[in-house]
Amino acid sequence: MKAAGQGRVKEFCGAGNGGRKIHPTKRWAAGCYGLRLPLKTAATFAHSLNSGTPSQRTHLVAALAALLVAGGVLAAGLEWCQGVERGYVHELAADFSDSKLQGAALQKAAFAEDDLLILYGSSELTQNVPTSAEQFFRDYPTGFRVFPVGKHGTAALSMLQKVAAVGPGIAGRKVAHSISPGFFFEEIFDPGQYAGNFSAMQAYELAFSRHLSPELKRDVARRMLAFPQTLEDDWLLGAALERLAGDTATDRALYSFLCPLGYLNNAIGRAQDHVEATLHILDEEDAPDAPGSPRQRVRIAPNWSRLVKSSAQMVHGVVEAKRKQARKVRPKSSRDKVFLERVGKAREWTDAELLLRTFQELNAKPLLLCMPIEDVRLEAAGLSPAARDVFIERLKGLAKAYNFPLLTFREHESDAGFLSDFFDHLSAKGWIYYDRALDDFYHDRPLNTAPPAEPPSIP
Amino acid sequence: MKAAQAWLEAHPRTSTALLALYYFAIIGGLATIYGRGDFSTPPFVYQEF
């Protein structure tokens, strides 16, 4: 039996045939048929080392050696890449490159650092405001730096994919999430903005995540399939999401078949992510020469009252411009009905809840910060305060359902200077309040959004 | 050419090492060409709400 098997193997290799070449088709048919194909192939490979021609043995040994060396080089290279990421991640707080936003390596590296607080948000993060959290905490005034992640149009569905890509690295970590109310004021989110924030790597991490429940992946997949243009060039991702969304017994079985491919794809994606992140760090012209922050870490207790006062002077022009614009665009009749219909149907509610579920399943400790809807904005949009209340109460209900702290800054609704425009961009003054909330959150102090008390005047 | 072949046949260890290097170069080439991921996003127009 053994001899017969060896004979077949020799024939397959061309050695048991007097050195005569066999037609490839016959060779295939002789060596690989029926369900024995994988076993035959493995056996052939093993036996070839012993029974193949010297030339074949040389090729096999050389190929194995090359694969081993390549594997070693890859492992060493990835370890070095991670070292570079760890060394320079603090310097990338102000960075909004694709490597940071569309990958996961740098976000994972940031979550691993105790003196970095990750702030997820959207366009408000990329505005150049001198009091923005990134700039305010740049020199670690109270012992930490804020690491913003997000750009224009990063709504909850895009954000949750970023969080899912970080995976267990977020467990037990504090994370802040800035909510833009404007995302809830449209029934359907603009597919162009979703596509502009879409990362196939992050989507794969979510679709084949081993840390999220099948129910959550199913619900997220159903939402992701609403943007089919992002999945057009990726059959594996599309197929996995469709199977997850289908959720029948057949779908679950087919998804299981896809999993090995998905895991392999994720492994390749993570390696590519590390390489891209390292190349990006090395490409930075103003990267520091040595790892670690070259900046001095000077501890200062911020005087919030004085900061609010000085920032109020900075937004004086903004307030006037907004009031003028509100008077100009103010509609003659109430728009409450249309607004409430839109808010009621907005898919962003679904996405926001999915994001909170993602935080919960990954055991993150999020703080939710929602920008206020100012009175002047209501005036410009023809809305009543009651319409605003509907939105705020629903948001509060959502946060309460997951027991996550939510700050709505309602004390500042009458302040036209909290935001710099009508599109959810914080002004210098608004950022000071955000900064104080982030500082309190980082240092486990009670959260307070009220205007700071005036220090007692010196007689 | 024949002399080189004969020399390689006479030195099997060197031959194997060179072959391994050749395979390694192929793996490295493939990794360089296809190994880099695409983390860019399509351009989009920011529409204000």
Side-chain angles (χ1 to χ4, degrees):
Chain A
M1 192 71 185
K2 190 180 171 187
Q6 278 182 348
R8 270 207 299 274
V9 169
K10 280 184 180 177
E11 188 183 15
F12 175 75
C13 298
N17 200 26
R20 259 191 311 120
K21 283 191 176 177
I22 304 170
H23 190 274
T25 317
K26 283 183 181 170
R27 189 184 297 178
W28 183 86
C32 320
Y33 52 86
L35 292 171
R36 293 184 185 173
L37 171 65
L39 287 173
K40 285 278 178 196
T41 312
T44 300
F45 184 78
H47 282 283
S48 295
L49 281 175
N50 296 323
S51 56
T53 61
S55 168
Q56 284 170 337
R57 275 203 299 272
T58 308
H59 277 275
L60 282 171
V61 169
L64 270 177
L67 277 173
L68 279 174
V69 173
V73 168
L74 182 68
L78 290 178
E79 190 58 38
W80 179 73
C81 286
Q82 288 179 51
V84 172
E85 289 160 15
R86 280 193 297 271
Y88 290 98
V89 68
H90 290 82
E91 307 309 311
L92 296 172
D95 181 62
F96 290 98
S97 66
D98 285 340
S99 296
K100 178 181 168 185
L101 304 181
Q102 306 304 102
L106 293 173
Q107 290 172 54
K108 282 180 191 170
F111 272 112
E113 298 295 324
D114 286 335
D115 55 357
L116 288 178
L117 176 64
I118 286 75
L119 170 62
Y120 285 107
S122 53
S123 55
E124 72 278 9
L125 303 180
T126 58
Q127 310 291 307
N128 186 18
V129 181
T131 56
S132 71
E134 182 275 311
Q135 296 192 37
F136 186 86
F137 292 105
R138 193 174 284 181
D139 292 336
Y140 306 85
T142 67
F144 73 102
R145 182 181 268 189
V146 170
F147 191 88
V149 177
K151 62 176 183 180
H152 294 302
T154 310
L157 188 58
S158 305
M159 216 175 282
L160 77 87
Q161 289 170 51
K162 295 183 196 309
V163 173
V166 172
I170 201 173
R173 308 296 299 179
K174 286 179 182 170
V175 55
H177 170 213
S178 171
I179 298 170
S180 297
F183 288 136
F184 296 85
F185 299 167
E186 294 292 332
E187 189 180 332
I188 295 168
F189 186 64
D190 176 22
Q193 290 197 36
Y194 176 76
N197 281 278
F198 181 77
S199 160
M201 184 262 169
Q202 293 169 352
Y204 264 107
E205 286 285 349
L206 186 143
F208 293 101
S209 171
R210 293 184 234 207
H211 308 285
L212 299 175
S213 67
E215 293 77 23
L216 177 57
K217 286 194 280 187
R218 174 198 63 202
D219 295 343
V220 175
R222 285 175 181 168
R223 285 293 297 134
M224 288 171 75
L225 288 170
F227 302 93
Q229 77 277 21
T230 54
L231 310 169
E232 275 171 4
D233 301 326
D234 223 317
W235 73 268
L236 178 57
L237 181 59
L241 292 176
E242 277 172 14
R243 300 288 73 79
L244 282 167
D247 202 29
T248 62
T250 314
D251 286 320
R252 283 192 287 273
L254 287 172
Y255 174 75
S256 303
F257 280 119
L258 293 175
C259 275
L261 266 180
Y263 297 151
L264 181 66
N265 198 83
N266 280 357
I268 294 168
R270 280 175 213 153
Q272 290 174 331
D273 191 16
H274 285 302
V275 172
E276 286 300 312
T278 305
L279 289 176
H280 172 64
I281 290 167
L282 299 177
D283 278 349
E284 287 285 294
E285 285 177 8
D286 54 352
D289 294 332
S293 172
R295 293 174 181 275
Q296 285 187 336
R297 297 187 179 202
V298 182
R299 292 290 188 105
I300 304 163
N303 184 335
W304 296 111
S305 173
R306 214 172 71 185
L307 286 165
V308 167
K309 205 177 256 183
S310 57
S311 64
Q313 290 168 352
M314 292 165 75
V315 299
H316 186 70
V318 169
V319 172
E320 287 306 308
K322 281 171 75 178
R323 288 207 168 120
K324 200 174 165 185
Q325 197 186 345
R327 282 194 294 271
K328 199 173 156 187
V329 300
R330 178 172 49 192
K332 285 176 185 171
S333 58
S334 169
R335 297 277 175 88
D336 279 3
K337 197 182 166 194
V338 178
F339 173 80
L340 290 174
E341 269 178 25
R342 277 189 190 171
V343 170
K345 291 179 183 172
R347 303 310 306 268
E348 186 66 8
W349 290 111
T350 310
D351 299 342
E353 181 156 12
L354 291 172
L355 174 62
L356 299 193
R357 281 172 65 186
T358 309
F359 279 139
Q360 192 180 53
E361 290 199 5
L362 293 175
N363 294 316
K365 294 178 180 173
L367 167 68
L368 314 176
L369 304 116
C370 180
M371 287 173 237
I373 304 165
E374 302 161 307
D375 291 345
V376 68
R377 187 170 177 180
L378 294 181
E379 187 187 341
L383 302 173
S384 69
R388 174 175 58 196
D389 291 345
V390 170
F391 165 74
I392 298 289
E393 289 309 312
R394 189 167 172 184
L395 191 64
K396 278 184 178 174
L398 186 61
K400 198 178 173 188
Y402 290 87
N403 206 21
F404 292 146
L406 167 72
L407 301 178
T408 53
F409 299 91
R410 294 211 73 173
E411 304 90 335
H412 305 279
E413 286 171 347
S414 58
D415 181 1
F418 200 92
L419 302 176
S420 61
D421 51 30
F422 297 130
F423 311 115
D424 299 328
H425 296 141
L426 291 158
S427 69
K429 190 179 179 185
W431 268 117
I432 289 292
Y433 284 103
Y434 254 50
D435 296 338
R436 187 175 64 159
L438 293 171
D439 193 43
D440 289 340
F441 176 58
Y442 180 84
H443 292 289
D444 293 321
R445 288 191 293 258
L447 301 166
N448 182 14
T449 59
E454 289 284 329
S457 56
I458 300 162
Chain B
M1 190 67 186
K2 277 186 179 174
Q5 209 169 352
W7 187 86
L8 284 174
E9 279 171 14
H11 299 83
R13 285 189 179 181
T14 315
S15 169
T16 307
L18 286 174
L19 203 55
L21 204 64
Y22 169 68
Y23 281 132
F24 183 70
I26 290 174
I27 294 168
L30 287 171
T32 308
I33 296 167
Y34 300 107
R36 287 195 68 174
D38 181 12
F39 291 86
S40 62
T41 53
F44 67 102
V45 179
Y46 179 54
Q47 294 177 354
E48 294 167 333
F49 294 97

